[in-house]
Amino acid sequence: MSDAVTAIEAVWRNESTRLIAAIARVTRDLGIAEELAQDALVVALERWPEEGIPDNPGAWLMTAAKRRAIDSLRRSRMLMPKHGEIAREIEAQQEQLGEEMDRALDQVIDDDVLRLVFTACHPVLPLEGRIALTLRVIGGLTTAEIARAFLVPEKTMGQRIFRAKKTLSEAHVPFETPRADELKPRIASVLSVIYLVFNEGHVATSGDEWMRARLCDEALRLGRLLVQLLPGESEVHALLALMELNAARTAARRGNDGEAILLPDQDRSLWDKAQIERGMAALEHAQRLGGGAGYHALQAAIAACHMRARSAEDTDWERIVLLYDALMQVAPSPVVALNRAVAVGMAQGPAAGLDALDMPAVASGLEGNHLLHSVRGELLAKLGRFPEARVEIERAIALTHNARERELLSRKLKSIANSGTRLHAV
């Protein structure tokens, strides 16, 4: 790949979201806006390698998109019967479109980007559509990149994105930021999409790699963007804090061969101290805004407990249990209950952890999930109940779809088998 093309791709990463947002405000159609922006990119790829990248690439791309839009209107006029009234209407549209897109260059664009975020995450779309469209039009990822990240064929992902844009168009979803009582629920939808993207990058649900760093990076970028756009929303700061703190451990979460390394076994000297500081600052900001008891704020507070501990043994597990208790009040779920059981096991011993794990709040929602069997196997092993522990870990291995996680569980199974053998020999 030439240096010019690499530079153009970098410009596109920085400018595409704002460009699409500005065009969408004029066209009121996300699909058309993306097509015009892509057309502008094609022109840039043809001309910039020869002419050089302009001083204001965003304005250049906007101008190219405007010309493409006007050209489309002109072609429409040529295809229509040459009826005077229709011709005059098309000419008026052409003039109006040009003027509106010119104005879009000069106006504050943050509101446009915010509208784009809320449009891509509109509840009328299924969750998978929201995720795909968010990564496409806001994250700037290509269809091929998104497909690789989620291990689906490019054609499948392309259809998913196409359906999402078509659904928005057919539902006449307005290109606007929700107002008043509609805003809070929609913010929650946006944050959930971004957090799902981050989690899929942090621990991939399937495939050969433990992590998909590109997804984590994109989620963080979106989180930082939202903080700029919604500075008064505590949960926005809390989500960013949570992602920064978890991402700070990235270098310690994989071994030299890419193998998975869990939190208790990580070399904490590899944790990114600057990123931890950013995460802590974001959490403090969320708390100052009065959002310390929110869903993401509580999870960020749990992550902060781990960040403050010099070792796994020094972790304040009692506080973590209390935070999970609060989280169960705010947003109860089987996964939260599972993580609470882990914390109880660390704070009060494996028997207490096993009791917490066997509560209906956990078991009823996670049967068939490898994490439930993995945690149960770990607690049983700590109690010296090795035959039962082996059965649970074997179940977890059979249920996981991630190769690195399967390797991790296999190592755990071997360790349990060796412990059982030594006990029998004694």
Side-chain angles (χ1 to χ4, degrees):
M1 185 181 295
S2 69
D3 292 341
V5 173
T6 301
I8 292 169
E9 287 187 351
V11 169
W12 179 252
R13 292 272 186 220
N14 293 330
E15 301 290 346
S16 61
T17 301
R18 294 182 172 190
L19 178 65
I20 293 170
I23 299 171
R25 171 158 51 84
V26 177
T27 63
R28 316 299 294 181
D29 188 296
L30 185 55
I32 292 174
E34 192 189 6
E35 287 177 12
L36 291 172
Q38 289 288 336
D39 288 343
L41 175 62
V42 170
V43 177
L45 287 167
E46 292 172 351
R47 294 177 55 180
W48 289 2
E50 296 294 330
E51 301 175 2
I53 295 177
D55 293 335
N56 190 339
W60 192 101
L61 289 167
M62 188 67 178
T63 299
K66 182 188 76 171
R67 289 172 180 161
R68 178 70 179 84
I70 291 173
D71 287 344
S72 296
L73 280 173
R74 285 173 178 162
R75 282 196 297 273
S76 298
R77 180 176 61 183
M78 292 173 65
L79 291 172
M80 286 182 179
K82 293 185 179 297
H83 189 281
E85 184 177 345
I86 295 175
R88 283 192 295 274
E89 182 180 343
I90 292 294
E91 287 173 356
Q93 289 177 357
Q94 175 181 318
E95 183 177 351
Q96 181 183 9
L97 178 63
E99 291 174 355
E100 288 182 353
M101 292 185 78
D102 281 337
R103 285 196 299 271
L105 286 172
D106 301 324
Q107 294 179 358
V108 177
I109 56 179
D110 283 352
D111 286 345
D112 289 336
V113 175
L114 188 58
R115 293 185 190 101
L116 183 62
V117 171
F118 278 101
T119 301
C121 296
H122 196 282
V124 73
L125 299 176
L127 184 57
E128 63 179 20
R130 279 180 254 169
I131 291 172
L133 200 58
T134 298
L135 289 174
R136 173 70 171 164
V137 302
I138 303 170
L141 274 66
T142 66
T143 302
E145 287 173 327
I146 303 170
R148 283 198 300 272
F150 286 92
L151 301 180
V152 299
E154 184 176 350
K155 182 179 179 181
T156 300
M157 186 56 69
Q159 291 171 340
R160 190 174 296 175
I161 294 170
F162 173 79
R163 284 196 300 270
K165 289 188 285 190
K166 185 179 179 182
T167 298
L168 290 175
S169 179
E170 291 179 344
H172 302 292
V173 171
F175 185 70
E176 64 184 18
T177 303
R179 299 179 183 277
D181 58 341
E182 294 182 0
L183 182 62
K184 290 286 184 181
R186 290 282 296 280
I187 289 176
S189 174
V190 170
L191 296 184
S192 68
V193 167
I194 294 174
Y195 191 39
L196 283 170
V197 171
F198 180 84
N199 275 340
E200 181 59 29
H202 193 61
V203 180
T205 54
S206 59
D208 296 329
E209 295 302 324
W210 174 236
M211 296 182 64
R212 295 175 187 153
R214 180 63 181 278
L215 288 180
C216 288
D217 292 343
E218 283 303 321
L220 277 164
R221 192 177 74 82
L222 293 173
R224 291 164 186 155
L225 173 65
L226 273 186
V227 162
Q228 295 174 15
L229 298 175
L230 296 166
E233 292 294 331
S234 62
E235 273 290 87
V236 174
H237 291 274
L239 174 62
L240 181 59
L242 175 59
M243 294 191 296
E244 295 277 19
L245 292 173
N246 282 334
R249 298 190 288 111
T250 295
R253 296 184 67 237
R254 288 179 291 193
N256 294 332
D257 296 325
E259 69 272 20
I261 301 177
L262 296 181
L263 179 61
D265 303 316
Q266 288 169 15
D267 180 354
R268 300 190 177 212
S269 68
L270 297 177
W271 290 0
D272 188 328
K273 293 180 177 58
Q275 195 161 25
I276 292 172
E277 290 177 3
R278 291 198 298 271
M280 294 294 193
L283 177 57
E284 289 172 6
H285 196 96
Q287 292 168 340
R288 283 198 301 273
L289 289 171
Y295 174 70
H296 295 104
L298 289 169
Q299 291 198 80
I302 291 167
C305 286
H306 292 297
M307 296 296 104
R308 295 188 186 101
R310 294 184 177 181
S311 66
E313 292 73 24
D314 291 337
T315 305
D316 189 349
W317 288 106
E318 293 288 356
R319 173 168 170 73
I320 290 177
V321 171
L322 292 175
L323 289 168
Y324 273 122
D325 287 341
L327 198 55
M328 284 294 291
Q329 295 297 316
V330 172
S333 76
V335 172
V336 171
L338 174 71
N339 288 328
R340 179 187 177 278
V342 173
V344 168
M346 297 298 294
Q348 303 169 22
L354 202 57
D355 288 341
L357 191 68
D358 289 334
M359 293 175 65
V362 184
S364 61
L366 288 176
E367 277 302 332
N369 186 299
H370 73 282
L371 292 174
L372 174 64
H373 299 288
S374 174
V375 171
R376 182 177 284 129
E378 183 79 22
L379 292 169
L380 287 167
K382 288 180 178 180
L383 290 169
R385 295 161 59 178
F386 298 113
E388 295 169 84
R390 284 198 299 270
V391 170
E392 294 295 336
I393 299 300
E394 286 168 353
R395 287 176 181 168
I397 291 172
L399 290 169
T400 187
H401 299 288
N402 182 283
R404 293 298 187 178
E405 200 157 15
R406 194 175 298 113
E407 290 174 0
L408 178 69
L409 290 168
S410 296
R411 292 197 300 270
K412 187 179 294 186
L413 181 63
K414 184 177 180 180
S415 174
I416 289 172
N418 290 338
S419 298
T421 301
R422 287 197 299 272
L423 184 64
H424 183 72
V426 172

